[in-house]
């Protein structure tokens, strides 16, 4: 199946007619092609967005909200189709796409459709000076949204929905590795009555299509989720043009387990926080630190549970771990398992590729648990972004806090304890944008989402996202 660009409400081939193969990770087969778009395609998308802006930015909040909620409803009505498309493109179990990815994409549109009707700005009376100030929150104009392959439609819409709600027009690019649901979204937008040109989706490679969006002098803001190195590059390109930037980047998140936790809950959640989506979630707790007194018990129970996870074809109902997203990514994750061995890490389980009958060329890997002796080793410091976690014991709060913070990343942290004072102390000191206590990946879309250090700049979610996608203008009136 050939995917097309979605520009000005129409599906278009790339101008130069160049195409990229699209692989199905579950069997390694090329099942379609996507546009290898150039600067010229991005320019067309920009022109369509620019033409649509004056009308969209003046469309009432009720009308914008109505259209976004309609998109949300249509996504829900097409749940099965979208979930199957996401799974085929990404390798994740259909059950996961159906339970998480697509419902969350629908929630993103519904949430920001509602949020924009509640978004308000401040006014300040300058007492004694006979003046009043009020703040306008105006849409920026044409903005760029660039998203990664791990949660394709989920993260794509997490950017697009607030951008549109705030009155901007968008030029967006999904990852070239997982373009399918973004393509299908175009159809839904037309059906929902989104005016032509308000959203434009251009497919292609990061280094050319993505780069053209970032380089475009009149695309005034970039919301990017992806790797830290790409984020640093984007920041460099965008800085001389003074673009607004929101960067959601990599993570190497600690999962800290104290002996006083609710053990069963912790154990079950830790299996999920380690291996959900084949470990390809920026929020996965990939470094597990366990208090010494329960370390041996945890190690044995955890490894037994992980060994019981079924690696299988994404369409099978009992599959827990589907395929990794691509062959190069599988190779990268395997390299890290070799690095762990070279660094004297102990592979407690997993570590090998899995061959699934009838799908022998798919990209399957066993969930892997590595016991490390030293938290400075590479597998404990570098983002692997696959079904691989490290475990090691700790003896006290200060020591684990120091190890937790001793990485370049700072996206999320998970803490398992029933001690309130410890919870408060640790949450204050963990270097992370999000701290989960006795849970993982519990999301309330009103909360600020993002990381510190090499995990990014800026916050998405709730009114933070609407603030990012608007410019604040102060009007001061003397009376
Ligand atoms: P990449 O950084 O490789 O790519 C992200 C997106 O940027 C893709 O659409 C990519 O296109 C595009 N891109 C690549 N180069 C450029 C460029 N020069 N200019 C503009 N766009 C470009 O990340 P991955 O797709 O590999 O995603 C995995 C990474 O994303 C991990 O590091 C993960 O931690 C991070 N991530 C962070 C999250 C967060 O919220 N903090 C959430 C989810 C993931 P293409 O794919 O076509 O090359």
């Amino acid at each position: 199946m050939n995917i097309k660009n979605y520009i000005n409400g129409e599906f278009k081939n790339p101008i130069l007619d160049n195409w990229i193969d699209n692989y199905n990770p579950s069997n390694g087969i090329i099942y379609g092609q996507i546009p290898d778009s150039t600067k010229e395609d991005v320019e067309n998308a920009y022109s369509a967005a620019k033409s649509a802006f004056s009308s969209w930015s003046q469309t009432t909040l009720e009308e914008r909200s109505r259209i976004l909620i309609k998109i949300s409803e249509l996504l829900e009505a097409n749940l099965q189709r979208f979930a199957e498309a996401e799974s085929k493109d990404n390798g994740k179990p259909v059950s996961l796409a159906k339970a998480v990815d697509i419902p969350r994409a629908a929630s993103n549109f519904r949430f920001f459709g509602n949020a924009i009707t509640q978004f308000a700005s401040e006014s300040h009376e300058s007492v004694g000076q006979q003046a009043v100030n009020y703040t306008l929150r105006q849409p920026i104009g044409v903005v760029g949204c660039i998203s990664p392959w791990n949660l394709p439609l989920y993260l794509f819409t997490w950017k697009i929905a607030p951008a549109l709600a705030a009155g901007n027009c968008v030029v967006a690019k999904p990852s070239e590795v997982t373009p399918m649901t973004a393509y299908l979204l175009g159809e839904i937008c037309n059906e929902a009555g989104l005016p032509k040109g308000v959203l434009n989706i251009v497919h292609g490679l990061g280094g050319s299509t993505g780069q053209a969006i970032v380089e475009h002098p009149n695309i005034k803001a970039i919301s990017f989720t992806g790797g830290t190195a790409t984020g640093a590059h984007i920041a460099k390109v965008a800085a001389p043009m003074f673009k607004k930037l929101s960067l959601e980047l990599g993570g190497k998140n600690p999962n800290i387990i104290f002996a006083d936790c609710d053990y069963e809950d912790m154990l079950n959640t830790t299996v999920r926080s380690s291996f959900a989506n084949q470990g390809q979630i920026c929020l996965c707790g990939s470094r597990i630190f366990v208090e010494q007194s329960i370390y041996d018990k945890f190690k044995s129970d955890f490894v037994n549970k992980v060994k019981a996870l079924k690696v299988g074809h994404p369409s099978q109902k009992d599959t827990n771990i589907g395929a990794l997203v691509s062959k190069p990514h599988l190779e990268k994750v395997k390299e890290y398992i070799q690095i762990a061995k070279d660094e004297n890490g102990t592979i407690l389980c997993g570590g090998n590729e899995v061959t699934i009958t009838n799908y022998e060329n798919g990209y399957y890997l066993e969930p892997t648990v590595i016991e490390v002796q030293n938290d400075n080793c590479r597998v404990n410091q570098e983002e692997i972004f696959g079904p691989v976690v490290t475990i090691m014991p700790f003896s006290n709060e200060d020591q684990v806090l120091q190890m937790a913070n001793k990485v370049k990343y700072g996206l999320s942290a998970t803490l398992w304890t029933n001690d309130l004072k410890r919870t408060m102390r640790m949450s204050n000191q963990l270097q992370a944008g999000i701290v989960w206590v006795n849970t993982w990946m519990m999301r309330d879309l009103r909360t600020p989402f993002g990381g510190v250090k090499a995990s990014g700049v800026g916050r998405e979610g709730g009114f933070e996202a609407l603030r990012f996608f608007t410019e604040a203008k102060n009007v001061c009136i003397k009376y």
Side-chain angles (χ1 to χ4, degrees):
M1 180 178 172
N2 275 15
I3 283 173
K4 296 187 178 193
N5 289 330
Y6 175 67
I7 297 177
N8 208 24
E10 290 168 13
F11 292 95
K12 298 198 167 144
N13 287 342
I15 293 170
L16 293 187
D17 207 27
N18 290 331
W19 300 84
I20 305 163
D21 292 334
N22 192 16
Y23 288 81
N24 177 340
S26 75
N27 57 20
I29 293 174
I30 296 168
Y31 79 103
Q33 293 199 306
I34 79 158
D36 183 3
S37 304
T38 56
K39 241 178 158 156
E40 290 72 24
D41 298 295
V42 170
E43 189 56 42
N44 280 350
Y46 167 74
S47 299
K50 183 170 183 282
S51 304
F53 179 67
S54 61
S55 166
W56 181 246
S57 58
Q58 291 305 313
T59 298
T60 63
L61 300 184
E62 288 73 18
E63 177 63 2
R64 277 189 228 153
S65 170
R66 190 190 64 74
I67 294 173
L68 294 190
I69 290 171
K70 182 76 188 158
I71 295 173
S72 164
E73 288 166 356
L74 288 169
L75 280 171
E76 279 163 355
N78 285 277
L79 175 65
Q80 185 68 27
R81 178 167 165 244
F82 270 75
E84 281 171 13
E86 198 73 294
S87 165
K88 189 169 179 179
D89 227 17
N90 172 280
K92 69 179 70 206
V94 176
S95 56
L96 183 71
K98 217 170 152 181
V100 177
D101 292 72
I102 310 306
R104 174 55 193 276
S107 296
N108 290 339
F109 280 107
R110 176 168 286 111
F111 175 82
F112 285 108
N114 286 320
I116 195 61
T117 67
Q118 304 299 314
F119 190 43
S121 54
E122 294 183 304
S123 72
H124 304 85
E125 188 184 358
S126 303
V127 176
Q129 296 179 295
Q130 267 111 26
V132 68
N133 289 270
Y134 63 90
T135 306
L136 292 174
R137 279 274 165 189
Q138 298 181 310
I140 297 168
V142 179
V143 300
C145 298
I146 301 176
S147 58
W149 48 256
N150 62 327
L151 300 166
L153 193 67
Y154 175 136
L155 291 175
F156 194 59
T157 55
W158 181 233
K159 299 176 175 308
I160 289 169
L164 297 179
N168 300 283
C169 293
V170 173
V171 176
K173 191 196 92 65
S175 169
E176 128 246 349
V177 186
T178 53
M180 185 53 86
T181 46
Y183 168 66
L184 298 177
L185 180 67
E187 289 176 9
I188 295 252
C189 289
N190 284 351
E191 204 180 330
L194 187 72
K196 286 178 190 300
V198 170
L199 170 64
N200 304 276
I201 301 170
V202 190
H203 298 275
L205 299 169
S208 49
T209 316
Q211 180 84 13
I213 294 173
V214 178
E215 279 177 349
H216 198 292
N218 297 320
I219 295 180
K220 296 290 187 196
I222 303 288
S223 175
F224 169 83
T225 298
T228 294
T230 317
H233 171 77
I234 287 174
K236 232 187 244 170
V237 175
M241 290 177 272
F242 306 109
K243 295 192 182 204
K244 251 185 139 174
L245 276 187
S246 172
L247 303 173
E248 299 292 338
L249 310 176
K252 187 76 182 175
N253 312 304
N255 179 6
I256 302 167
I257 299 166
F258 284 92
D260 70 344
C261 68
D262 292 336
Y263 189 80
E264 284 305 312
D265 189 14
M266 173 280 294
L267 191 61
N268 291 326
T269 307
T270 295
V271 173
R272 234 171 21 91
S273 66
S274 302
F275 298 112
N277 204 39
Q278 296 69 245
Q280 301 166 143
I281 303 181
C282 52
L283 304 165
C284 277
S286 51
R287 293 182 292 146
I288 303 175
F289 298 106
V290 187
E291 192 164 12
Q292 187 75 62
S293 60
I294 58 163
Y295 184 72
D296 287 338
K297 174 173 168 50
F298 172 82
K299 183 163 111 176
S300 153
D301 293 345
F302 183 60
V303 166
N304 283 338
K305 280 204 177 270
V306 174
K307 279 183 178 161
L309 293 173
K310 186 177 170 227
V311 182
H313 189 269
S315 68
Q316 281 160 3
K317 286 212 167 69
D318 59 346
T319 291
N320 301 117
I321 310 273
L324 270 65
V325 75
S326 68
K327 181 90 179 153
H329 190 56
L330 172 70
E331 294 305 327
K332 176 192 148 183
V333 177
K334 277 166 51 191
E335 262 172 49
Y336 271 106
I337 293 171
Q338 187 55 47
I339 289 168
K341 290 177 185 161
D342 296 344
E343 287 179 325
N344 297 322
T346 308
I347 312 289
L348 299 177
C349 67
N352 303 304
E353 266 188 80
V354 179
T355 305
I356 311 279
T357 313
N358 297 329
Y359 306 103
E360 285 79 4
N361 293 323
Y363 318 133
Y364 300 95
L365 189 67
E366 291 171 337
T368 304
V369 181
I370 303 168
E371 183 175 48
V372 294
Q373 307 301 330
N374 181 335
D375 68 299
N376 289 325
C377 62
R378 282 185 64 192
V379 281
N380 217 50
Q381 290 288 322
E382 298 175 20
E383 187 185 41
I384 301 174
F385 214 57
V388 178
V389 289
T390 61
I391 70 168
M392 69 177 286
F394 67 85
S395 48
N396 61 57
E397 201 177 300
D398 286 345
Q399 184 205 13
V400 74
L401 190 62
Q402 203 219 354
M403 292 194 295
N405 287 340
K406 210 189 338 149
V407 290
K408 69 174 182 172
Y409 298 105
L411 188 54
S412 69
T414 303
L415 193 56
W416 290 95
T417 178
N418 278 314
D419 181 330
L420 179 61
K421 289 179 185 165
R422 173 192 283 151
T423 300
M424 305 294 280
R425 279 193 302 271
M426 297 276 297
S427 303
N428 279 345
Q429 293 178 80
L430 280 164
Q431 295 169 356
I434 305 145
V435 179
W436 278 297
V437 183
N438 299 330
T439 184
W440 175 73
M441 216 173 153
M442 195 178 207
R443 296 280 295 121
D444 179 327
L445 302 191
R446 294 169 301 178
T447 59
F449 179 90
V452 298
K453 305 199 286 189
S455 290
V457 180
R459 292 294 179 275
E460 297 184 333
F463 291 155
E464 298 285 345
L466 295 177
R467 284 187 198 108
F468 174 76
F469 283 115
T470 51
E471 286 288 4
K473 181 190 283 177
N474 173 232
V475 180
C476 174
I477 302 174
K478 183 149 168 66
Y479 58 88

